[in-house]
């Protein structure tokens, strides 16, 4: 694995001191010899961004940039509303074929998709690293999540179904029949440009649905590359390509999907602000939505916690993916008796975080995704200072090409400071003191979002109180592990302003089906 990482690192250039700004770069990265591996994914200088059985696109040409150096990678011609209309019609026709295929045979197609992803896992992970900015091992891990959920879906294709219930009428049967909803729209965010689509599409497909995907415009190359892999599997099996359609585009396409009554389920992953707009548009037509929105996640550390677990866990949860996970730890509650000790140890650990090029095997921390994210980071740090916080480490932009900022720890703020209650998609950790269990459980729950949460303790009674009705109100509740990360076998999602949706494992498949009694 390490050797392979070094091979990929050698294929990619280190940012050069004094590099000209992106606007001055006339050569796309894909045109350079050292990025020739991008063509293994079927990518070229300009790529069609619409797939519905054939490739096309009549919309705006959008260039995507590498966050590590802000140099242009390649471009994608997005879809316009005419492309969208044509694609919906083809997807609806494709569904008629797909829904007639027995569920286990649909599972076999999904199995083949998983195998095809396995064959491209390193090169696709490298593209995620190049275009999104997360470190290489996380990019590969994200593709692995899609592979894993394909494996899960294959087994599920032989298990989905409803019970036969006792009827109160003599000679009658009471049956619960589950059928596919039809067409599932999937709108994904930049931070997990592969995995979130995988969670949705693999389960939706074995349930008998067709999918229409709109990824984030800033990770359009990932959307195109993934769809090319899926399309080949469908074509090899002589199935309509529109079973897994793609329309790259902006807000106009997303709005059309939200308002379209032909969209039987719309899965949206993104900010709470945009998610609320999507929910209202879908609800206005009495449609179905599955929302995976923001998270203002907390770790609570009690005085009996094992600090050898706490320090690496808090570091990974707060700094991983440069703080751009929906499950990133943004609040760290420390019992007053251990506050100073933990802050000192954590600051020391932060100082050892290896910052560098995402594709370098030694790098633990890469850039933010965009220049706008850097500005949001700086604004949040300034607000934290104005509200009484002290920056213990970090707080600045790193002087190097790309969108790099220092991982940051802020102490001294009250638990209800406005900035503490604001989800900033950046590596800022607010460290807060507490005295009693009851108050800190309440503080965990007082923010608007309810995605992930964690406590560190050895007290079994406290653990069960945390898991119980008066404990964490989040969709993901952890004990002695970080807030970030989730297993595909469990239902992933959160409560309150996180949206209430559930994806991936457990009985999440029911959201992609309709029940007849």
């Amino acid at each position: 694995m390490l050797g392979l990482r070094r091979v990929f690192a050698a294929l990619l250039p280190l940012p050069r001191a004094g590099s000209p700004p992106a606007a001055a770069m006339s050569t796309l990265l894909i045109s350079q010899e050292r990025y020739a591996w991008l063509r293994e994914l079927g990518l070229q200088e300009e790529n069609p961004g619409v797939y519905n059985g054939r490739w096309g696109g009549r919309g705006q040409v959008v260039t995507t940039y590498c966050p590590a150096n802000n140099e242009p990678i390649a471009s994608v011609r997005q879809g316009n509303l005419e492309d969208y209309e044509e694609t919906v019609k083809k997807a609806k026709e494709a569904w008629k074929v797909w829904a007639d295929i027995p569920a286990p045979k649909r599972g076999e197609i999904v199995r083949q998709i998983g195998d095809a992803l396995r064959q491209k896992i390193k090169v696709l992970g490298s593209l995620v690293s190049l275009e999104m900015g997360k470190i290489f091992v996380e990019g590969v891990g994200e593709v692995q999540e899609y592979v894993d959920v394909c494996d899960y879906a294959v087994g599920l294709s032989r298990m989905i179904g409803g019970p036969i219930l006792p009827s109160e009428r003599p000679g009658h049967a009471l049956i619960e029949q589950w059928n596919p909803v039809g067409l599932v729209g999937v709108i994904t965010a930049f931070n997990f440009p592969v995995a979130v689509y995988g969670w949705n599409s693999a389960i939706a497909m074995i349930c008998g649905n067709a999918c229409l995907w709109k990824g984030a415009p800033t990770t359009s190359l990932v959307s195109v590359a993934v769809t090319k892999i899926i399309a080949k599997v469908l074509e090899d099996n002589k199935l309509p390509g529109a079973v897994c359609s793609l329309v790259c585009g902006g807000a106009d396409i997303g709005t059309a999907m939200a308002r379209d009554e032909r969209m039987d389920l719309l899965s949206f992953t993104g900010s709470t602000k945009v998610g609320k707009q999507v929910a209202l548009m879908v609800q206005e037509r009495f449609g179905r939505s599955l929302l995976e929105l923001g998270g203002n996640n907390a770790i609570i550390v009690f005085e009996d916690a094992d600090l050898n677990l706490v320090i690496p866990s808090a570091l990974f949860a707060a700094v991983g993916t440069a703080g751009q996970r929906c499950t990133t730890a943004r609040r760290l509650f420390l019992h007053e008796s251990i506050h100073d000790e933990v802050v000192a140890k954590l600051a020391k650990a932060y100082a050892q975080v290896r910052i560098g090029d995402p594709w370098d095997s030694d790098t633990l921390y890469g850039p933010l995704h965009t220049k706008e994210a850097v500005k949001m980071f700086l604004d949040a740090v300034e607000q934290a200072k104005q509200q009484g916080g002290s920056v213990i480490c970090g707080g600045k932009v790193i002087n190097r090409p790309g969108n790099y900022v220092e991982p940051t720890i802020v102490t001294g703020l009250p638990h209800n400071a406005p900035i503490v209650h604001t989800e900033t998609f950046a590596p800022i950790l607010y460290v807060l003191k507490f005295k009693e269990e009851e108050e800190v459980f309440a503080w965990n729950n007082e923010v608007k979002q309810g995605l992930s949460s964690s406590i560190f303790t050895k007290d079994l009674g406290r653990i069960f109180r945390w898991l119980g009705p008066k404990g964490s109100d989040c969709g993901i509740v952890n004990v002695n592990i970080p807030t970030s990360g989730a297993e595909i076998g469990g239902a992933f999602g959160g409560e309150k302003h996180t949206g209430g949706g559930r994806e991936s494992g457990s009985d999440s498949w029911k959201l992609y089906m309709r029940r007849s009694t």
Side-chain angles (χ1 to χ4, degrees):
M1 180 70 174
L2 185 59
L4 284 167
R5 286 191 213 157
R6 284 173 177 156
V7 168
F8 276 88
L11 289 172
L12 297 160
L14 299 177
R16 304 174 300 280
S19 293
M25 298 296 293
S26 59
T27 306
L28 296 170
L29 295 185
I30 195 170
S31 302
Q32 300 177 21
E33 181 65 27
R34 63 187 68 191
Y35 294 97
W37 54 269
L38 287 166
R39 299 186 187 274
E40 295 177 33
L41 292 165
L43 298 175
Q44 51 199 10
E45 282 79 4
E46 182 177 314
N47 302 274
V50 175
Y51 180 73
N52 52 32
R54 60 190 184 92
W55 288 93
R58 291 164 283 188
Q60 181 182 1
V61 176
V62 172
T63 301
T64 68
Y65 292 82
C66 173
N69 52 33
N70 282 322
E71 293 185 11
I73 306 169
S75 63
V76 173
R77 183 171 289 280
Q78 297 187 323
N80 61 17
L81 291 175
E82 290 178 14
D83 294 315
Y84 170 76
E85 182 65 26
E86 177 185 311
T87 301
V88 170
K89 288 177 180 176
K90 288 189 175 182
K92 282 289 193 180
E93 286 300 311
W95 174 77
K96 294 176 183 177
V97 176
W98 185 245
D100 281 342
I101 297 172
K105 293 194 174 180
R106 296 194 296 255
E108 164 59 18
I109 302 303
V110 172
R111 185 195 66 77
Q112 292 178 34
I113 291 171
D115 282 350
L117 288 163
R118 277 186 180 93
Q119 293 169 18
K120 299 282 188 182
I121 193 167
K122 297 288 193 302
V123 68
L124 188 55
S126 292
L127 174 59
V128 172
S129 185
L130 185 71
E131 190 176 37
M132 185 272 151
K134 63 179 61 176
I135 62 174
F136 173 67
V137 69
E138 286 186 351
V140 171
E142 184 177 340
V143 183
Q144 185 65 51
E145 279 195 48
Y146 193 169
V147 171
D148 290 345
V149 81
C150 284
D151 287 348
Y152 178 85
V154 174
L156 191 62
S157 71
R158 295 179 178 273
M159 297 167 64
I160 53 174
I164 300 175
L165 302 162
S167 173
E168 63 189 36
R169 294 174 290 184
H172 286 69
L174 189 59
I175 300 171
E176 213 175 70
Q177 171 77 31
W178 290 85
N179 290 304
V181 294
L183 178 58
V184 175
V186 184
I187 300 176
T188 59
F190 75 86
N191 60 332
F192 282 88
V194 175
V196 172
Y197 177 66
W199 296 345
N200 281 275
S201 65
I203 305 300
M205 286 178 74
I206 63 100
C207 289
N209 301 294
C211 297
L212 194 160
W213 181 20
K214 188 195 95 67
T218 52
T219 52
S220 294
L221 294 174
V222 171
S223 301
V224 171
V226 170
T227 301
K228 282 181 179 288
I229 291 169
I230 297 169
K232 185 175 188 309
V233 172
L234 294 173
E235 290 163 10
D236 288 349
N237 285 275
K238 296 181 171 52
L239 289 166
V243 168
C244 289
S245 298
L246 172 72
V247 180
C248 293
D252 58 335
I253 302 300
T255 299
M257 293 171 74
R259 289 181 172 158
D260 195 341
E261 291 190 351
R262 297 168 297 179
M263 200 64 60
D264 299 294
L265 169 68
L266 182 60
S267 171
F268 174 85
T269 301
S271 70
T272 297
K273 179 181 177 183
V274 177
K276 184 177 181 180
Q277 296 170 358
V278 169
L280 290 172
M281 284 188 277
V282 174
Q283 184 57 43
E284 191 173 30
R285 60 177 175 85
F286 290 99
R288 280 197 194 191
S289 62
L290 191 169
L291 303 175
E292 295 285 359
L293 311 177
N296 195 343
N297 315 295
I299 293 175
I300 302 170
V301 183
F302 286 91
E303 64 272 27
D304 65 337
D306 182 348
L307 298 190
N308 291 324
L309 284 178
V310 170
I311 302 305
S313 295
L315 177 73
F316 174 74
V319 169
T321 324
Q324 297 170 110
R325 291 172 178 249
C326 51
T327 52
T328 291
R330 310 202 183 279
R331 298 176 294 151
L332 176 62
F333 292 106
L334 301 174
H335 189 270
E336 60 182 4
S337 65
I338 58 170
H339 175 275
D340 294 349
E341 179 187 0
V342 172
V343 169
K345 288 184 175 180
L346 196 56
K348 184 178 179 181
Y350 265 54
Q352 297 170 25
V353 171
R354 295 188 298 275
I355 300 169
D357 306 309
W359 43 81
D360 190 325
S361 61
D362 291 328
T363 298
L364 293 177
Y365 174 91
L368 292 178
H369 186 55
T370 62
K371 294 177 182 178
E372 290 74 21
V374 174
K375 184 179 183 303
M376 285 170 50
F377 165 83
L378 290 172
D379 289 347
V381 170
E382 188 57 36
Q383 287 180 54
K385 290 177 182 176
Q386 291 173 2
Q387 293 171 26
S390 299
V391 177
I392 298 302
C393 65
K396 301 186 187 70
V397 174
I398 298 173
N399 184 21
R400 60 176 288 160
N403 309 319
Y404 287 86
V405 300
E406 296 174 341
T408 301
I409 297 174
V410 178
T411 62
L413 286 165
H415 66 93
N416 56 355
I419 192 62
V420 173
H421 279 218
T422 302
E423 182 196 21
T424 303
F425 229 54
I428 303 173
L429 182 64
Y430 303 110
V431 181
L432 312 153
K433 284 184 185 179
F434 75 91
K435 293 181 180 180
E436 304 292 339
E437 175 188 305
E438 186 176 353
E439 71 175 359
V440 78
F441 281 11
W443 293 352
N444 175 79
N445 296 345
E446 71 183 357
V447 296
K448 290 186 180 297
Q449 300 91 342
L451 180 52
S452 187
S453 55
S454 183
I455 62 165
F456 284 78
T457 183
K458 296 172 186 171
D459 185 327
L460 280 177
R462 178 179 289 138
I463 288 169
F464 281 99
R465 289 191 294 274
W466 171 245
L467 299 173
K470 295 180 181 178
S472 173
D473 67 356
C474 294
I476 301 171
V477 185
N478 301 285
V479 177
N480 294 328
I481 57 172
T483 55
S484 54
E487 297 189 30
I488 59 102
F492 181 90
E495 302 299 329
K496 303 185 298 188
H497 285 218
T498 301
R502 292 297 187 276
E503 294 170 337
S504 194
S506 186
D507 65 350
S508 299
W509 61 269
K510 292 181 178 179
L511 293 169
Y512 303 89
M513 304 196 83
R514 57 180 177 82
R515 177 180 0 212
S516 302
T517 302

